[in-house]
Amino acid sequence: GAVVSQHPSWVICKSGTSVKIECRSLDFQATTMFWYRQFPKQSLMLMATSNEGSKATYEQGVEKDKFLINHASLTLSTLTVTSAHPEDSSFYICSARTGTNNEQFFGPGTRLTVL
Amino acid sequence: GEDVEQSLFLSVREGDSSVINCTYTDSSSTYLYWYKQEPGAGLQLLTYIFSNMDMKQDQRLTVLLNKKDKHLSLRIADTQTGDSAIYFCAESRTGTASKLTFGTGTRLQVTL
């Protein structure tokens, strides 16, 4: 149980285009989902916290207009990287939490490469 | 803000014990976690410990917490090649919507 999937697993796009990444909790309802960014050989940095049906809370320094987060249902959150540039190339990881405990279940990650 | 530090690299021989260390600065930390990340993959929760505990053992894994020194360690007994990965410690506080602050990660290399 407690499986989180991400789609796509990797994506290559041209500079200036927008990319949408999906995060799904497959067998539980996620009241809260988190989006992280990980640069090569570095730690995970929390980008934003999203609760179903409400606006995401962004961490300091994260542009909310560039990284659009939608948490429309209890099993799906999406991260859209708008007008992507090469510096947005990174590994994006989501996690999901139920309302019953503090444990976060992580997705397998999406590797974004912007040319 | 919170700061979580780890050594970058550890190399051990198969069958030996591995000890991965972590230090943190936030005295309000309530939960402390160890995650494992294999290449190109997400994170797998290995174990966690509440801040009011000193030790937790789970099969080959032993977590030690020194709250006074804000020091956390993960011991892996009988280390296997499949244990090669990056290990992250993380901390969270009650009332912060489970926000995790991750350490810098320790790359464990297991040699034959």
Side-chain angles (χ1 to χ4, degrees):
Chain A
V3 177
V4 176
S5 70
Q6 282 184 240
H7 178 80
S9 54
W10 59 270
V11 56
I12 301 172
C13 69
K14 290 184 178 180
S15 187
T17 60
S18 294
V19 175
K20 181 186 283 188
I21 302 170
E22 293 184 348
C23 176
R24 292 183 185 271
S25 56
L26 297 186
D27 49 3
F28 66 100
Q29 292 186 327
T31 52
T32 306
M33 286 185 169
F34 303 85
W35 286 96
Y36 296 85
R37 184 173 182 177
Q38 185 181 29
F39 290 106
K41 298 184 180 180
Q42 292 190 27
S43 187
L44 280 75
M45 300 300 296
L46 179 65
M47 298 174 67
T49 303
S50 75
N51 293 295
E52 184 265 339
S54 62
K55 289 184 178 180
T57 302
Y58 290 80
E59 294 299 300
Q60 193 172 7
V62 178
E63 298 176 60
K64 62 181 180 182
D65 294 331
K66 180 165 185 62
F67 298 101
L68 300 178
I69 291 172
N70 187 310
H71 192 163
S73 78
L74 284 171
T75 59
L76 173 65
S77 176
T78 60
L79 167 67
T80 301
V81 183
T82 61
S83 187
H85 288 92
E87 58 266 30
D88 298 324
S89 299
S90 191
F91 195 52
Y92 291 88
I93 303 176
C94 73
S95 70
R97 183 180 76 99
T98 68
T100 56
N101 62 51
N102 279 325
E103 184 174 353
Q104 292 184 31
F105 301 96
F106 284 81
T110 296
R111 183 162 301 284
L112 170 63
T113 301
V114 185
L115 302 176
Chain B
E2 307 91 354
D3 195 19
V4 184
E5 297 286 338
Q6 299 176 237
S7 52
L8 289 179
F9 183 76
L10 175 66
S11 181
V12 299
R13 287 195 173 184
E14 187 178 41
D16 289 349
S17 292
S18 308
V19 179
I20 302 171
N21 294 301
C22 172
T23 57
Y24 60 98
T25 58
D26 188 355
S27 57
S28 303
S29 297
T30 307
Y31 304 92
L32 294 135
Y33 306 83
W34 283 105
Y35 286 88
K36 176 183 180 183
Q37 184 181 34
E38 299 191 41
L43 273 68
Q44 173 195 356
L45 177 64
L46 292 177
T47 187
Y48 65 92
I49 189 169
F50 293 111
S51 60
N52 61 357
M53 298 170 64
D54 298 323
M55 186 183 87
K56 182 178 181 181
Q57 186 159 1
D58 184 2
Q59 299 182 334
R60 292 192 297 126
L61 304 179
T62 303
V63 178
L64 295 178
L65 174 61
N66 182 326
K67 196 173 180 182
K68 175 176 171 288
D69 294 339
K70 300 188 185 69
H71 182 267
L72 181 74
S73 69
L74 174 69
R75 178 177 181 270
I76 306 173
D78 186 26
T79 312
Q80 302 297 307
T81 54
D83 295 325
S84 293
I86 300 176
Y87 291 80
F88 292 96
C89 65
E91 62 91 22
S92 69
R93 289 178 287 152
T94 303
T96 58
S98 300
K99 283 173 57 172
L100 291 172
T101 299
F102 283 88
T104 46
T106 299
R107 180 176 296 276
L108 174 65
Q109 177 180 279
V110 182
T111 59
L112 297 174

mmCIF file of all heavy atoms in Angstrom, chain A residues 54-90:
data_model
loop_
_atom_site.group_PDB
_atom_site.id
_atom_site.type_symbol
_atom_site.label_atom_id
_atom_site.label_comp_id
_atom_site.label_asym_id
_atom_site.label_seq_id
_atom_site.Cartn_x
_atom_site.Cartn_y
_atom_site.Cartn_z
ATOM 1 N N SER A 54 -7.235 23.780 -1.987
ATOM 2 C CA SER A 54 -6.789 25.125 -1.609
ATOM 3 C C SER A 54 -5.492 25.478 -2.331
ATOM 4 O O SER A 54 -4.859 24.622 -2.942
ATOM 5 C CB SER A 54 -6.611 25.236 -0.098
ATOM 6 O OG SER A 54 -5.629 24.343 0.349
ATOM 7 N N LYS A 55 -5.113 26.737 -2.219
ATOM 8 C CA LYS A 55 -3.903 27.180 -2.905
ATOM 9 C C LYS A 55 -2.661 26.601 -2.240
ATOM 10 O O LYS A 55 -2.627 26.404 -1.020
ATOM 11 C CB LYS A 55 -3.808 28.709 -2.879
ATOM 12 C CG LYS A 55 -4.820 29.407 -3.774
ATOM 13 C CD LYS A 55 -4.582 30.905 -3.767
ATOM 14 C CE LYS A 55 -5.546 31.605 -4.700
ATOM 15 N NZ LYS A 55 -5.339 33.071 -4.705
ATOM 16 N N ALA A 56 -1.656 26.388 -3.058
ATOM 17 C CA ALA A 56 -0.407 25.844 -2.530
ATOM 18 C C ALA A 56 0.346 26.900 -1.735
ATOM 19 O O ALA A 56 0.231 28.101 -1.990
ATOM 20 C CB ALA A 56 0.458 25.342 -3.686
ATOM 21 N N THR A 57 1.102 26.430 -0.773
ATOM 22 C CA THR A 57 1.979 27.305 0.006
ATOM 23 C C THR A 57 3.398 27.116 -0.493
ATOM 24 O O THR A 57 3.947 26.012 -0.408
ATOM 25 C CB THR A 57 1.909 26.957 1.503
ATOM 26 O OG1 THR A 57 0.563 27.076 1.942
ATOM 27 C CG2 THR A 57 2.801 27.890 2.303
ATOM 28 N N TYR A 58 3.984 28.172 -0.996
ATOM 29 C CA TYR A 58 5.307 28.088 -1.603
ATOM 30 C C TYR A 58 6.394 28.468 -0.599
ATOM 31 O O TYR A 58 6.198 29.348 0.240
ATOM 32 C CB TYR A 58 5.398 29.012 -2.820
ATOM 33 C CG TYR A 58 4.575 28.538 -3.994
ATOM 34 C CD1 TYR A 58 3.206 28.762 -4.053
ATOM 35 C CD2 TYR A 58 5.179 27.846 -5.041
ATOM 36 C CE1 TYR A 58 2.454 28.310 -5.121
ATOM 37 C CE2 TYR A 58 4.437 27.403 -6.125
ATOM 38 C CZ TYR A 58 3.072 27.636 -6.154
ATOM 39 O OH TYR A 58 2.337 27.188 -7.209
ATOM 40 N N GLU A 59 7.525 27.810 -0.723
ATOM 41 C CA GLU A 59 8.670 28.137 0.115
ATOM 42 C C GLU A 59 9.325 29.427 -0.394
ATOM 43 O O GLU A 59 9.155 29.822 -1.560
ATOM 44 C CB GLU A 59 9.692 27.001 0.103
ATOM 45 C CG GLU A 59 9.174 25.727 0.740
ATOM 46 C CD GLU A 59 8.802 25.906 2.200
ATOM 47 O OE1 GLU A 59 9.691 26.264 3.008
ATOM 48 O OE2 GLU A 59 7.614 25.688 2.540
ATOM 49 N N GLN A 60 10.032 30.055 0.501
ATOM 50 C CA GLN A 60 10.694 31.302 0.148
ATOM 51 C C GLN A 60 11.635 31.094 -1.024
ATOM 52 O O GLN A 60 12.404 30.124 -1.046
ATOM 53 C CB GLN A 60 11.470 31.808 1.363
ATOM 54 C CG GLN A 60 11.964 33.233 1.251
ATOM 55 C CD GLN A 60 12.558 33.734 2.549
ATOM 56 O OE1 GLN A 60 12.727 32.990 3.507
ATOM 57 N NE2 GLN A 60 12.882 35.009 2.589
ATOM 58 N N GLY A 61 11.543 31.995 -1.993
ATOM 59 C CA GLY A 61 12.428 31.920 -3.151
ATOM 60 C C GLY A 61 11.873 31.121 -4.306
ATOM 61 O O GLY A 61 12.484 31.097 -5.378
ATOM 62 N N VAL A 62 10.742 30.477 -4.133
ATOM 63 C CA VAL A 62 10.128 29.706 -5.213
ATOM 64 C C VAL A 62 9.059 30.559 -5.874
ATOM 65 O O VAL A 62 8.147 31.054 -5.211
ATOM 66 C CB VAL A 62 9.506 28.397 -4.681
ATOM 67 C CG1 VAL A 62 8.841 27.633 -5.821
ATOM 68 C CG2 VAL A 62 10.565 27.544 -4.008
ATOM 69 N N GLU A 63 9.191 30.741 -7.195
ATOM 70 C CA GLU A 63 8.252 31.607 -7.920
ATOM 71 C C GLU A 63 6.952 30.873 -8.175
ATOM 72 O O GLU A 63 6.913 29.918 -8.960
ATOM 73 C CB GLU A 63 8.868 32.020 -9.253
ATOM 74 C CG GLU A 63 10.160 32.826 -9.143
ATOM 75 C CD GLU A 63 10.721 33.095 -10.521
ATOM 76 O OE1 GLU A 63 10.032 33.734 -11.321
ATOM 77 O OE2 GLU A 63 11.861 32.649 -10.800
ATOM 78 N N LYS A 64 5.886 31.326 -7.577
ATOM 79 C CA LYS A 64 4.608 30.634 -7.725
ATOM 80 C C LYS A 64 4.035 30.784 -9.126
ATOM 81 O O LYS A 64 3.249 29.937 -9.565
ATOM 82 C CB LYS A 64 3.604 31.109 -6.676
ATOM 83 C CG LYS A 64 3.255 32.575 -6.770
ATOM 84 C CD LYS A 64 2.267 32.941 -5.669
ATOM 85 C CE LYS A 64 1.907 34.404 -5.737
ATOM 86 N NZ LYS A 64 0.967 34.797 -4.642
ATOM 87 N N ASP A 65 4.394 31.842 -9.830
ATOM 88 C CA ASP A 65 3.884 32.005 -11.186
ATOM 89 C C ASP A 65 4.640 31.138 -12.182
ATOM 90 O O ASP A 65 4.162 30.906 -13.294
ATOM 91 C CB ASP A 65 3.975 33.469 -11.617
ATOM 92 C CG ASP A 65 3.053 34.356 -10.806
ATOM 93 O OD1 ASP A 65 2.003 33.845 -10.355
ATOM 94 O OD2 ASP A 65 3.394 35.525 -10.589
ATOM 95 N N LYS A 66 5.806 30.699 -11.782
ATOM 96 C CA LYS A 66 6.587 29.838 -12.670
ATOM 97 C C LYS A 66 6.289 28.374 -12.409
ATOM 98 O O LYS A 66 6.233 27.568 -13.331
ATOM 99 C CB LYS A 66 8.073 30.093 -12.460
ATOM 100 C CG LYS A 66 8.944 29.227 -13.356
ATOM 101 C CD LYS A 66 10.357 29.727 -13.398
ATOM 102 C CE LYS A 66 11.153 28.901 -14.396
ATOM 103 N NZ LYS A 66 10.640 29.014 -15.773
ATOM 104 N N PHE A 67 6.082 28.028 -11.168
ATOM 105 C CA PHE A 67 5.811 26.648 -10.783
ATOM 106 C C PHE A 67 4.367 26.587 -10.273
ATOM 107 O O PHE A 67 4.087 26.803 -9.100
ATOM 108 C CB PHE A 67 6.787 26.190 -9.698
ATOM 109 C CG PHE A 67 8.223 26.189 -10.138
ATOM 110 C CD1 PHE A 67 9.071 27.231 -9.776
ATOM 111 C CD2 PHE A 67 8.723 25.163 -10.924
ATOM 112 C CE1 PHE A 67 10.407 27.238 -10.187
ATOM 113 C CE2 PHE A 67 10.058 25.158 -11.332
ATOM 114 C CZ PHE A 67 10.893 26.200 -10.968
ATOM 115 N N LEU A 68 3.466 26.272 -11.209
ATOM 116 C CA LEU A 68 2.048 26.258 -10.883
ATOM 117 C C LEU A 68 1.663 24.903 -10.309
ATOM 118 O O LEU A 68 1.926 23.874 -10.920
ATOM 119 C CB LEU A 68 1.219 26.549 -12.136
ATOM 120 C CG LEU A 68 1.478 27.903 -12.822
ATOM 121 C CD1 LEU A 68 0.631 28.030 -14.077
ATOM 122 C CD2 LEU A 68 1.195 29.052 -11.871
ATOM 123 N N ILE A 69 1.021 24.921 -9.171
ATOM 124 C CA ILE A 69 0.627 23.680 -8.517
ATOM 125 C C ILE A 69 -0.879 23.652 -8.382
ATOM 126 O O ILE A 69 -1.493 24.613 -7.929
ATOM 127 C CB ILE A 69 1.310 23.553 -7.146
ATOM 128 C CG1 ILE A 69 2.805 23.327 -7.347
ATOM 129 C CG2 ILE A 69 0.702 22.405 -6.333
ATOM 130 C CD1 ILE A 69 3.616 23.381 -6.080
ATOM 131 N N ASN A 70 -1.438 22.513 -8.780
ATOM 132 C CA ASN A 70 -2.866 22.297 -8.673
ATOM 133 C C ASN A 70 -3.111 20.990 -7.938
ATOM 134 O O ASN A 70 -2.582 19.946 -8.326
ATOM 135 C CB ASN A 70 -3.487 22.246 -10.082
ATOM 136 C CG ASN A 70 -5.002 22.191 -10.035
ATOM 137 O OD1 ASN A 70 -5.583 21.379 -9.322
ATOM 138 N ND2 ASN A 70 -5.643 23.035 -10.801
ATOM 139 N N HIS A 71 -3.898 21.033 -6.895
ATOM 140 C CA HIS A 71 -4.222 19.824 -6.121
ATOM 141 C C HIS A 71 -5.739 19.678 -6.151
ATOM 142 O O HIS A 71 -6.420 19.942 -5.173
ATOM 143 C CB HIS A 71 -3.689 19.993 -4.696
ATOM 144 C CG HIS A 71 -3.708 18.733 -3.896
ATOM 145 N ND1 HIS A 71 -2.962 18.590 -2.731
ATOM 146 C CD2 HIS A 71 -4.345 17.565 -4.054
ATOM 147 C CE1 HIS A 71 -3.160 17.383 -2.233
ATOM 148 N NE2 HIS A 71 -3.987 16.752 -3.010
ATOM 149 N N ALA A 72 -6.247 19.258 -7.304
ATOM 150 C CA ALA A 72 -7.687 19.303 -7.555
ATOM 151 C C ALA A 72 -8.454 18.164 -6.893
ATOM 152 O O ALA A 72 -9.658 18.272 -6.686
ATOM 153 C CB ALA A 72 -7.935 19.281 -9.058
ATOM 154 N N SER A 73 -7.769 17.073 -6.587
ATOM 155 C CA SER A 73 -8.468 15.957 -5.959
ATOM 156 C C SER A 73 -7.578 15.349 -4.884
ATOM 157 O O SER A 73 -6.404 15.714 -4.760
ATOM 158 C CB SER A 73 -8.824 14.895 -6.997
ATOM 159 O OG SER A 73 -7.691 14.111 -7.330
ATOM 160 N N LEU A 74 -8.132 14.416 -4.136
ATOM 161 C CA LEU A 74 -7.385 13.793 -3.040
ATOM 162 C C LEU A 74 -6.350 12.790 -3.528
ATOM 163 O O LEU A 74 -5.622 12.219 -2.723
ATOM 164 C CB LEU A 74 -8.349 13.118 -2.070
ATOM 165 C CG LEU A 74 -9.103 14.071 -1.143
ATOM 166 C CD1 LEU A 74 -10.184 13.312 -0.380
ATOM 167 C CD2 LEU A 74 -8.153 14.756 -0.165
ATOM 168 N N THR A 75 -6.303 12.568 -4.829
ATOM 169 C CA THR A 75 -5.326 11.604 -5.354
ATOM 170 C C THR A 75 -4.423 12.187 -6.428
ATOM 171 O O THR A 75 -3.578 11.481 -6.964
ATOM 172 C CB THR A 75 -6.035 10.364 -5.933
ATOM 173 O OG1 THR A 75 -6.906 10.787 -6.980
ATOM 174 C CG2 THR A 75 -6.818 9.623 -4.864
ATOM 175 N N LEU A 76 -4.577 13.462 -6.750
ATOM 176 C CA LEU A 76 -3.808 14.024 -7.847
ATOM 177 C C LEU A 76 -3.364 15.445 -7.558
ATOM 178 O O LEU A 76 -4.157 16.303 -7.168
ATOM 179 C CB LEU A 76 -4.631 14.019 -9.135
ATOM 180 C CG LEU A 76 -4.013 14.729 -10.354
ATOM 181 C CD1 LEU A 76 -2.751 14.008 -10.810
ATOM 182 C CD2 LEU A 76 -5.021 14.801 -11.497
ATOM 183 N N SER A 77 -2.073 15.668 -7.760
ATOM 184 C CA SER A 77 -1.527 17.020 -7.742
ATOM 185 C C SER A 77 -0.658 17.175 -8.976
ATOM 186 O O SER A 77 -0.002 16.222 -9.409
ATOM 187 C CB SER A 77 -0.671 17.252 -6.489
ATOM 188 O OG SER A 77 -0.066 18.538 -6.513
ATOM 189 N N THR A 78 -0.696 18.355 -9.571
ATOM 190 C CA THR A 78 0.134 18.600 -10.746
ATOM 191 C C THR A 78 1.042 19.805 -10.516
ATOM 192 O O THR A 78 0.662 20.763 -9.846
ATOM 193 C CB THR A 78 -0.711 18.854 -12.009
ATOM 194 O OG1 THR A 78 -1.529 20.006 -11.786
ATOM 195 C CG2 THR A 78 -1.576 17.652 -12.331
ATOM 196 N N LEU A 79 2.237 19.692 -11.077
ATOM 197 C CA LEU A 79 3.205 20.791 -11.060
ATOM 198 C C LEU A 79 3.466 21.159 -12.505
ATOM 199 O O LEU A 79 3.864 20.299 -13.301
ATOM 200 C CB LEU A 79 4.506 20.354 -10.399
ATOM 201 C CG LEU A 79 5.724 21.275 -10.571
ATOM 202 C CD1 LEU A 79 5.507 22.594 -9.856
ATOM 203 C CD2 LEU A 79 6.994 20.592 -10.052
ATOM 204 N N THR A 80 3.208 22.410 -12.863
ATOM 205 C CA THR A 80 3.489 22.877 -14.214
ATOM 206 C C THR A 80 4.640 23.865 -14.165
ATOM 207 O O THR A 80 4.545 24.890 -13.473
ATOM 208 C CB THR A 80 2.249 23.545 -14.843
ATOM 209 O OG1 THR A 80 1.176 22.605 -14.873
ATOM 210 C CG2 THR A 80 2.550 24.004 -16.266
ATOM 211 N N VAL A 81 5.693 23.530 -14.887
ATOM 212 C CA VAL A 81 6.833 24.443 -15.008
ATOM 213 C C VAL A 81 6.568 25.292 -16.238
ATOM 214 O O VAL A 81 6.574 24.781 -17.367
ATOM 215 C CB VAL A 81 8.158 23.669 -15.143
ATOM 216 C CG1 VAL A 81 9.332 24.641 -15.191
ATOM 217 C CG2 VAL A 81 8.327 22.682 -14.000
ATOM 218 N N THR A 82 6.284 26.545 -16.043
ATOM 219 C CA THR A 82 5.924 27.403 -17.163
ATOM 220 C C THR A 82 7.166 28.068 -17.744
ATOM 221 O O THR A 82 8.108 28.409 -17.030
ATOM 222 C CB THR A 82 4.934 28.488 -16.723
ATOM 223 O OG1 THR A 82 5.556 29.309 -15.720
ATOM 224 C CG2 THR A 82 3.669 27.871 -16.143
ATOM 225 N N SER A 83 7.139 28.227 -19.084
ATOM 226 C CA SER A 83 8.250 28.866 -19.789
ATOM 227 C C SER A 83 9.590 28.354 -19.254
ATOM 228 O O SER A 83 10.412 29.113 -18.720
ATOM 229 C CB SER A 83 8.168 30.391 -19.618
ATOM 230 O OG SER A 83 9.138 31.035 -20.415
ATOM 231 N N ALA A 84 9.770 27.070 -19.403
ATOM 232 C CA ALA A 84 10.952 26.428 -18.828
ATOM 233 C C ALA A 84 12.242 26.916 -19.473
ATOM 234 O O ALA A 84 12.291 27.196 -20.679
ATOM 235 C CB ALA A 84 10.830 24.914 -18.969
ATOM 236 N N HIS A 85 13.281 26.997 -18.647
ATOM 237 C CA HIS A 85 14.606 27.363 -19.117
ATOM 238 C C HIS A 85 15.604 26.320 -18.651
ATOM 239 O O HIS A 85 15.312 25.552 -17.731
ATOM 240 C CB HIS A 85 14.985 28.765 -18.602
ATOM 241 C CG HIS A 85 14.235 29.855 -19.273
ATOM 242 N ND1 HIS A 85 13.044 30.352 -18.782
ATOM 243 C CD2 HIS A 85 14.463 30.527 -20.422
ATOM 244 C CE1 HIS A 85 12.597 31.294 -19.590
ATOM 245 N NE2 HIS A 85 13.433 31.418 -20.589
ATOM 246 N N PRO A 86 16.779 26.296 -19.260
ATOM 247 C CA PRO A 86 17.756 25.266 -18.881
ATOM 248 C C PRO A 86 18.039 25.194 -17.376
ATOM 249 O O PRO A 86 18.272 24.102 -16.849
ATOM 250 C CB PRO A 86 19.003 25.671 -19.674
ATOM 251 C CG PRO A 86 18.456 26.320 -20.905
ATOM 252 C CD PRO A 86 17.233 27.071 -20.425
ATOM 253 N N GLU A 87 17.991 26.315 -16.696
ATOM 254 C CA GLU A 87 18.259 26.285 -15.244
ATOM 255 C C GLU A 87 17.147 25.604 -14.448
ATOM 256 O O GLU A 87 17.311 25.329 -13.252
ATOM 257 C CB GLU A 87 18.491 27.696 -14.695
ATOM 258 C CG GLU A 87 17.358 28.667 -14.928
ATOM 259 C CD GLU A 87 17.537 29.494 -16.182
ATOM 260 O OE1 GLU A 87 18.156 29.000 -17.152
ATOM 261 O OE2 GLU A 87 17.056 30.642 -16.183
ATOM 262 N N ASP A 88 16.014 25.322 -15.107
ATOM 263 C CA ASP A 88 14.933 24.577 -14.449
ATOM 264 C C ASP A 88 15.154 23.075 -14.539
ATOM 265 O O ASP A 88 14.403 22.299 -13.928
ATOM 266 C CB ASP A 88 13.578 24.926 -15.088
ATOM 267 C CG ASP A 88 13.234 26.397 -14.942
ATOM 268 O OD1 ASP A 88 13.568 26.978 -13.883
ATOM 269 O OD2 ASP A 88 12.651 26.964 -15.887
ATOM 270 N N SER A 89 16.153 22.676 -15.304
ATOM 271 C CA SER A 89 16.463 21.250 -15.411
ATOM 272 C C SER A 89 16.806 20.707 -14.034
ATOM 273 O O SER A 89 17.671 21.251 -13.337
ATOM 274 C CB SER A 89 17.641 21.030 -16.362
ATOM 275 O OG SER A 89 17.337 21.484 -17.664
ATOM 276 N N SER A 90 16.127 19.660 -13.638
ATOM 277 C CA SER A 90 16.293 19.130 -12.290
ATOM 278 C C SER A 90 15.506 17.840 -12.150
ATOM 279 O O SER A 90 14.842 17.388 -13.080
ATOM 280 C CB SER A 90 15.788 20.166 -11.276
ATOM 281 O OG SER A 90 16.143 19.814 -9.955
#
